[in-house]
Amino acid sequence: MPRHQPSAYLSHTARREGWLALPPCRWVALLIFTLAARHLANPFIATVYVLYMAGMGTCMGSVMTSALRTLADNQQTEGNAILNTLQQFAGAVGTSLSAVVVAQSQTHLAGSQAYTTAVGTQNAFIMLTVFATVIWFSYFKVVK
């Protein structure tokens, strides 16, 4: 028997800690990468990446804890394994899709390798920003 009713618990969590679904610093970092993709210097990349990873660090533990609280004690080990597997899979899919977008730009655009890579990178960041925005709005639509 679950310790909490999932819908009631998630609804309470969404009202109290709803911003944890996608912390603003993650979205802002993606937006900065999207807007500045063609003019990135190494120190700038490192600074924005630190901002992005700070957002990732603040949300992943809370999201996993929130999800695992909906399970009974004897199901939490399996739940943790499933969440970690899904996280790895989502990372692999995101990396693959980004690589495809960059490769397509390199193949189909005219210009130097550096230019086509920069355009492809910007397009990949646009795709990731759109995905993040859709996920964020979906979270609040599903969890009322």
Side-chain angles (χ1 to χ4, degrees):
M1 179 71 130
R3 287 183 284 169
H4 303 280
Q5 288 288 5
S7 60
Y9 179 76
L10 291 175
S11 296
H12 171 69
T13 303
R15 285 192 299 271
R16 188 171 48 87
E17 301 173 9
W19 62 276
L20 290 174
L22 183 70
C25 54
R26 280 181 62 198
W27 192 84
V28 167
L30 274 174
L31 191 60
I32 290 170
F33 275 140
T34 299
L35 297 175
R38 295 188 195 184
H39 312 287
L40 297 174
N42 289 340
F44 182 74
I45 292 170
T47 303
V48 177
Y49 188 71
V50 166
L51 178 68
Y52 180 81
M53 290 311 293
M56 180 72 89
T58 59
C59 85
M60 287 312 295
S62 298
V63 168
M64 289 184 71
T65 300
S66 177
L68 291 174
R69 281 188 179 172
T70 64
L71 300 175
D73 287 340
N74 64 342
Q75 296 175 322
Q76 288 191 358
T77 305
E78 291 87 1
N80 187 43
I82 290 169
L83 288 173
N84 284 316
T85 301
L86 289 174
Q87 184 179 4
Q88 292 292 318
F89 180 74
V93 169
T95 301
S96 298
L97 288 175
S98 296
V100 166
V101 169
V102 173
Q104 289 297 316
S105 294
Q106 290 172 334
T107 303
H108 297 294
L109 293 178
S112 69
Q113 185 76 15
Y115 172 76
T116 58
T117 301
V119 170
T121 301
Q122 186 170 33
N123 291 338
F125 281 129
I126 290 169
M127 175 191 69
L128 294 172
T129 304
V130 168
F131 286 168
T133 304
V134 167
I135 290 167
W136 189 65
F137 282 115
S138 298
Y139 174 80
F140 287 107
K141 182 147 179 91
V142 170
V143 181
K144 297 177 182 178

